[in-house]
């Protein structure tokens, strides 16, 4: 016997849903379908402080579609969580109310600690962490979560307001372009460095684990740009090489030549540079890309709370 569940991740760059069957008797998760709506809440929130009426309408359309899909696919339970952009939006309650009125789906706004816990849950169900010490890096549009794990136990997690969409908006506001990314990233690094130093200095990590759509995209770019396999991990030199090749292309060229979606083509370089910076600070040479994330963690959480 299995139960069909769905999880919705309302991020700063997109709204994503996953439907999965979870076996009652064994700890297995079978992904049925994944969906993505390119609704960039972060653009509004990081420039104006709130979610604009037109973006709310786009989000309502996505949720209407998701609610219909849940019915059609016989989903028994759906859980939706919102992260960085919604946390900061002045009109977040209005947004939550509007979505509920139009789709019947209730949104929970979660903090960075809970986001880190759910991502860790997804990873430990996918990778045998055994007795290893690992560092989980989740690159979102509004925030970056860096979590340290010993075996399958989470030992520290912290959320940083330095996501990819936020960085892009910061550049635009200051009339800077992608060539100035190092300046903007440098301004975020003191807090991040302290968190990494505190958790790595006397007990280094064995490897890093990367989650989120940008990391999965970087894994594919390893195959497309470097002609190397597999796509399930990157070394630090491979990541640096990918960054150099991406920076040599304009956003339009990334869309045309690499077939990246427009809302991925503009954030992929900040994402890659963030990962590179974190790996260098933690002095780790390898990052695993298990292709799981917040939605998987939500499904596992629902499966455990029958």
């Amino acid at each position: 016997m299995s139960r069909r569940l769905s999880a919705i991740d309302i991020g700063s760059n997109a709204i994503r849903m996953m439907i999965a069957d979870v076996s009652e008797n064994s700890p297995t998760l079978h992904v049925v379908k994944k969906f993505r709506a390119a609704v960039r809440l972060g653009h509004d929130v990081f420039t104006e402080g709130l979610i604009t009426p037109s973006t709310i309408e786009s989000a309502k359309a996505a949720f209407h579609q998701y609610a219909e899909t849940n019915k059609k696919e016989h989903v028994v339970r759906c859980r939706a969580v919102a992260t960085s952009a919604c946390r900061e939006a002045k009109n977040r309650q209005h947004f939550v109310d509007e979505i509920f009125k139009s789709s019947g789906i209730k949104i929970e706004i979660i903090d960075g600690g809970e986001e880190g816990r759910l991502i860790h849950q997804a990873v430990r169900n996918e990778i045998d962490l055994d007795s290893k010490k690992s560092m989980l890096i989740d690159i979102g549009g509004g925030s970056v979560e860096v979590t340290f794990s010993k075996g399958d136990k989470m030992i520290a997690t912290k959320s940083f307001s330095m996501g990819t969409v936020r960085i892009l908006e910061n550049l635009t506001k200051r009339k800077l372009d992608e060539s100035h990314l190092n300046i903007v990233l440098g301004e975020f690094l003191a807090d991040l460095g302290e968190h990494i130093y505190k958790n790595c200095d006397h007990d280094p990590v064995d490897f890093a684990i990367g989650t989120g759509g940008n990391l999965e995209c970087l894994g594919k770019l390893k195959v497309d740009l470097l002609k190397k396999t597999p796509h399930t991990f990157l070394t630090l030199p491979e990541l640096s090489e990918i960054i150099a090749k991406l920076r040599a292309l304009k956003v339009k060229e990334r869309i045309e030549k690499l077939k990246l979606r427009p809302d991925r083509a503009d954030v992929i370089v900040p994402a890659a540079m963030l990962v590179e910076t974190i790996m260098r600070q933690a002095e780790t040479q390898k990052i695993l890309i298990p292709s799981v994330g917040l939605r998987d963690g939500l499904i596992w959480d629902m499966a455990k709370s029958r």
Side-chain angles (χ1 to χ4, degrees), residues 9-250:
D9 168 10
I10 303 115
S12 302
N13 195 36
I15 300 172
R16 292 175 286 264
M17 182 169 86
M18 182 171 91
I19 296 175
D21 290 333
V22 180
S23 170
E24 296 281 354
N25 305 318
S26 64
T28 57
L29 181 155
H30 170 66
V31 177
V32 178
K33 283 181 183 173
K34 287 184 178 183
F35 307 86
R36 185 181 191 279
V39 180
R40 190 172 269 186
L41 299 181
H43 171 70
D44 292 1
V45 177
F46 306 144
T47 54
E48 300 182 42
L50 47 75
I51 304 165
T52 60
S54 64
T55 303
I56 290 175
E57 288 307 311
S58 299
K60 278 164 72 174
F63 270 89
H64 175 75
Q65 196 64 51
Y66 288 169
E68 291 298 306
T69 303
N70 280 337
K71 275 186 218 156
K72 198 172 104 187
E73 296 290 338
H74 308 293
V75 168
V76 296
R77 188 179 169 203
C78 170
R79 194 172 161 204
V81 299
T83 56
S84 186
C86 275
R87 284 199 285 267
E88 293 175 36
K90 290 177 198 154
N91 60 341
R92 59 186 173 273
Q93 193 55 51
H94 173 66
F95 175 76
V96 168
D97 293 344
E98 285 295 298
I99 297 296
F100 183 70
K101 270 194 289 188
S102 65
S103 68
I105 295 173
K106 186 182 173 191
I107 294 172
E108 304 163 49
I109 297 175
I110 61 171
D111 63 21
E114 175 66 357
E115 198 174 342
R117 184 190 73 81
L118 288 166
I119 292 161
H120 180 260
Q121 177 126 286
V123 168
R124 71 188 176 89
N125 278 289
E126 188 67 23
I127 294 176
D128 180 8
L129 296 174
D130 197 19
S131 56
K132 300 279 192 291
K133 182 171 180 188
S134 56
M135 174 177 66
L136 280 59
I137 308 167
D138 184 72
I139 305 286
S143 64
V144 172
E145 276 68 44
V146 179
T147 302
F148 289 91
S149 177
K150 194 75 181 265
D152 64 359
K153 296 278 185 292
M154 192 169 86
I155 52 175
T157 186
K158 195 165 180 184
S159 183
F160 300 90
S161 299
M162 52 191 289
T164 55
V165 177
R166 193 190 297 272
I167 287 167
L168 286 187
E169 299 303 346
N170 190 309
L171 285 172
T172 305
K173 196 161 96 182
R174 292 157 70 172
K175 298 185 171 56
L176 302 174
D177 60 29
E178 206 179 68
S179 66
H180 299 97
L181 267 171
N182 287 15
I183 298 167
V184 176
L185 286 177
E187 292 165 3
F188 286 112
L189 292 183
D191 279 358
L192 180 65
E194 189 187 336
H195 177 59
I196 292 170
Y197 180 76
K198 201 160 68 179
N199 289 285
C200 276
D201 186 36
H202 301 298
D203 186 15
V205 296
D206 293 296
F207 51 77
I209 299 164
T211 55
N214 286 305
L215 264 301
E216 290 168 35
C217 180
L218 288 168
K220 288 173 190 153
L221 287 170
K222 171 183 168 177
V223 179
D224 296 343
L225 285 176
L226 309 187
K227 309 300 177 203
K228 289 182 179 177
T229 57
H231 66 279
T232 51
F233 75 84
L234 281 168
T235 64
L236 193 52
E238 285 168 351
L239 182 58
S240 301
E241 198 180 338
I242 290 168
I243 291 168
K245 286 180 183 289
L246 285 172
R247 292 189 85 169
L249 298 171
K250 292 185 170 63

Side-chain angles (χ1 to χ4, degrees), residues 257-278:
K257 293 181 181 176
L258 304 177
K259 304 289 182 274
L260 297 186
R261 287 191 314 266
D263 67 340
R264 178 72 68 211
D266 61 350
V267 295
I268 193 66
V269 171
M273 288 178 69
L274 275 168
V275 176
E276 181 187 42
T277 302
I278 295 167

